[in-house]
């Protein structure tokens, strides 16, 4: 099996992010700040020559990938769409006000924010709670979520070769869920920032997290 690195980047800020609305499978355009988030991520990663690039099928992630690859030193200039890396499906709660929804789901236990719920129940447990309270049964619980995401990792493990530098533009909860699975000692109750970089190191069958949620310029 191959040894390679994966750089997960959260998309830039969207209109729904700006208004603190829940955004999973629902999509929204990047704001002016979101474009700057994507361009800043591109500058931070410009010196890392990507050999492969993937993006979720959400337009906010696709556009973020375009800005990053436009200034990258590698030969890859277009990302392959990989739906497996899409954000969590929040079902009925898509587009709802964040504060109101998290207060309803976690508030009875004193956990009024998404991060507070993750700290109390784990990110896996939060998915199960959201799914349990979705009256339409469309929200993904943890098992359903990973059944959809795992094929994306299977693809990377199959297609990547030694020395690959792989870009994946994705989403906050997806990146946090990946970090929680492969490096559970990292605190994912801290939100992944728009445009932040999280690096995974794949060494054969072993996957570890080199860093999470970085927005500085000292990336390797």
């Amino acid at each position: 099996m191959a040894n390679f690195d994966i750089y997960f980047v959260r998309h830039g800020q969207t209109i729904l992010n700006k208004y603190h609305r829940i955004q999973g499978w629902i999509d929204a355009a990047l704001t002016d700040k979101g474009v700057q988030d994507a361009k800043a991520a591109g500058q931070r990663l410009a010196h890392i020559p990507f050999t492969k690039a993937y993006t979720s099928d959400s337009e906010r992630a696709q556009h973020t990938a375009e800005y990053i690859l436009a200034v990258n030193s590698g030969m890859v200039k277009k990302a392959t769409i990989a739906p497996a890396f899409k954000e969590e499906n929040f079902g009925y709660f898509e587009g709802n006000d964040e504060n109101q929804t998290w207060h309803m789901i976690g508030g009875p236990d004193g956990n009024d924010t998404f991060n507070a719920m993750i700290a109390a129940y784990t990110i896996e447990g939060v998915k199960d709670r959201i799914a349990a309270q979705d009256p339409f049964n469309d929200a993904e619980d943890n098992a359903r979520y990973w059944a959809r995401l795992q094929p994306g990792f299977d693809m990377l493990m199959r297609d990547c070769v030694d020395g690959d530098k792989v870009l994946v533009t994705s989403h906050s909860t997806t990146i946090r869920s990946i970090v929680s699975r492969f490096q559970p000692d990292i605190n994912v109750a801290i939100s992944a920032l728009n445009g932040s970089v999280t690096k995974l190191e794949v060494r054969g069958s072993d996957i570890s997290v080199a860093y999470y949620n970085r927005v500085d310029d000292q990336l390797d």
Side-chain angles (χ1 to χ4, degrees):
M1 302 183 76
N3 299 330
F4 58 96
D5 297 328
I6 312 171
Y7 296 81
F8 280 92
V9 180
R10 186 189 177 194
H11 61 80
Q13 185 198 63
T14 70
I15 293 171
L16 291 181
N17 292 151
K18 180 179 178 180
Y19 298 146
H20 295 277
R21 298 280 174 174
I22 295 171
Q23 184 177 217
W25 283 20
I26 196 173
D27 211 356
L30 298 180
T31 61
D32 290 344
K33 178 185 179 302
V35 171
Q36 292 306 312
D37 292 335
K39 288 182 175 180
Q43 292 298 325
R44 284 193 291 273
L45 294 167
H47 64 288
I48 296 171
F50 290 121
T51 54
K52 292 181 173 67
Y54 301 89
T55 175
S56 91
D57 57 357
S58 298
E59 287 191 2
R60 60 192 188 270
Q62 293 180 52
H63 291 158
T64 297
E66 290 168 3
Y67 285 112
I68 293 171
L69 292 174
V71 296
N72 192 256
S73 58
M75 298 297 292
V76 180
K77 296 304 176 185
K78 185 174 179 59
T80 299
I81 294 176
F85 295 109
K86 198 167 186 171
E87 181 60 293
E88 174 183 347
N89 184 350
F90 294 96
Y92 172 78
F93 304 107
E94 293 271 344
N96 281 9
D97 179 84
E98 288 182 353
N99 293 333
Q100 182 183 41
T101 303
W102 306 145
H103 177 69
M104 183 189 76
I105 294 173
D109 296 334
N111 302 306
D112 292 316
T113 68
F114 194 59
N115 286 341
M117 288 196 297
I118 292 173
Y121 316 131
T122 74
I123 197 165
E124 296 80 11
V126 171
K127 289 187 186 66
D128 292 342
R129 279 179 171 257
I130 294 169
Q133 295 200 40
D134 177 7
F136 290 88
N137 298 313
D138 290 329
E140 293 175 307
D141 63 15
N142 192 58
R144 185 174 168 188
Y145 171 84
W146 272 100
R148 190 254 299 167
L149 178 56
Q150 187 59 48
F153 272 97
D154 294 342
M155 173 193 67
L156 294 179
M157 299 296 280
R158 181 184 66 246
D159 294 348
C160 291
V161 299
D162 282 343
D164 268 342
K165 304 290 186 183
V166 183
L167 170 70
V168 180
T169 53
S170 189
H171 307 268
S172 178
T173 306
T174 292
I175 293 169
R176 293 204 264 181
S177 299
I178 290 166
V179 170
S180 178
R181 169 158 288 201
F182 295 113
Q183 201 80 37
D185 58 314
I186 292 178
N187 180 15
V188 295
I190 299 172
S191 300
L193 301 172
N194 292 111
S196 64
V197 182
T198 295
K199 180 182 178 182
L200 270 63
E201 295 178 339
V202 180
R203 301 296 180 261
S205 60
D206 181 62
I207 302 175
S208 61
V209 180
Y211 52 77
Y212 166 63
N213 197 26
R214 294 269 297 272
V215 291
D216 59 277
D217 295 330
Q218 304 300 315
L219 303 181
D220 58 6

